[in-house]
Amino acid sequence: MTIVEPDADGLRRAVRLLRAESVVAFPTETVYGLGAHAFSARAIAEVYRLKNRPSWNPLIVHVADVAAARALAHEWPDAANELAAQFWPGPLTLVVERARHLPQIGAPTPTIAIRVPAHEVALRLLAAAGLPLAAPSANRSEGISPTTAEHVLRSLPDVPLVLDGGPASWGIESTVLDLTTPTPTLLRPGALALRPLREVTGAIALPGAVADGTARSSPGMGRRHYAPKATVLLVDDVTSVDRSGLAAPVAVLSYETAGDYDAAEVLSADPREYAADLYAALHRLDDAGVGTIIVQAPPDTEDWLAVRDRLARAAR
Ligand code: TXA
Ligand code: MG
């Protein structure tokens, strides 16, 4: 595996691999993606193999612009037009019906999840490759998503090439919205908050267990996800935790004060800044070899929805 600069030579190497139906990790504004030609069965199989991703879990397809997105859809609803105009390029993934002539992207669904990423390197790669790129987060299934090229290297050492675009600015995955339901349905809370989305779409349905994009249909819902190696305890009051019997070293992850622990990560009390640092903080605690991470649960408000979702899954 090599980490390369996203200059002309780096992009050329990446495009060569993608056209040869291999895979390439690349930066997006949310997290790093493991990219593959979306309609190459061989490349897609390699993505599932490298990630150890369950075959029922479909992949997001990244395209350069709205026209390329429409070309993949059987139907392109008005809401998709309005949302794309407002939020693309950006951290919003839209699920629509897949064009009938196109094969499934991994999992057998009649739908397709599409987004236009807001990262210069990702957009240059899409333009240079001239291919729609399926790209899940570039980490082993259930692990912590990568927000740097280094994280990709550690999680997926067998990926042939990583384009280094620096740290991801959002640091948390895109919001996934299903437009095939009468009322748009949130499948995964993410970087883009619900309030601005509702201003465009009106009401958004929140499935009972708002969590991963597999919320309604997948048997894998209860699985651990976004999880560090350490045991994660998500608690309302860190100070009340009885620490005897916890695997040492014991760390705390909070947006308030640290207290007296073997390791501590104190993130911002602002949800967007917290999200931007969360995965990097979990990676650091893993690297430090901590046995337990006690996490101060953020407030139960909509602004914290995506962060709370990821923490809840890490704590399973
Ligand atoms: O920010 C992101 O979305 C990142 C970057 C790389 O773009 N990608 C990402 O991909 O998070 P992944 O594979 O880790 O998560 C994709 C989510 C999964 O929850 C999956 O179940 C859901 O999107 N998804 C993909 N295709 C779908 C479909 N056709 N219908 C419903 N959910 C879908
Ligand atoms: Mg993922």
Side-chain angles (χ1 to χ4, degrees), residues 202-245:
I204 291 176
L206 311 182
V210 170
D212 210 27
T214 48
R216 293 164 309 160
S217 52
S218 132
M221 261 303 286
R223 293 164 71 113
R224 222 163 120 83
H225 216 121
Y226 310 102
K229 295 183 197 96
T231 299
V232 175
L233 297 178
L234 183 59
V235 301
D236 287 326
D237 178 11
V238 167
T239 58
S240 70
V241 175
D242 174 9
R243 286 193 247 167
S244 60

Side-chain angles (χ1 to χ4, degrees), residues 8 34 59-60 79 95 159 191 196 209 225 233 250 257 264 297 299 315:
L34 179 61
L59 307 177
I60 294 174
V95 174
V159 171
H225 216 121
L233 297 178
V250 176
T257 49

Side-chain angles (χ1 to χ4, degrees), residues 51 53 136-137 139 145 173 188 225-226:
K51 277 184 64 85
R53 185 181 180 98
S137 52
N139 54 277
S145 298
E173 295 83 355
R188 178 178 72 182
H225 216 121
Y226 310 102

Side-chain angles (χ1 to χ4, degrees), residues 14-24 35-37 125 129 131 133:
V15 168
R16 207 177 304 132
L17 285 163
L18 291 169
R19 294 216 176 121
E21 300 181 89
S22 183
V23 298
V24 166
H37 181 341
L125 180 65
L131 299 169
L133 295 180

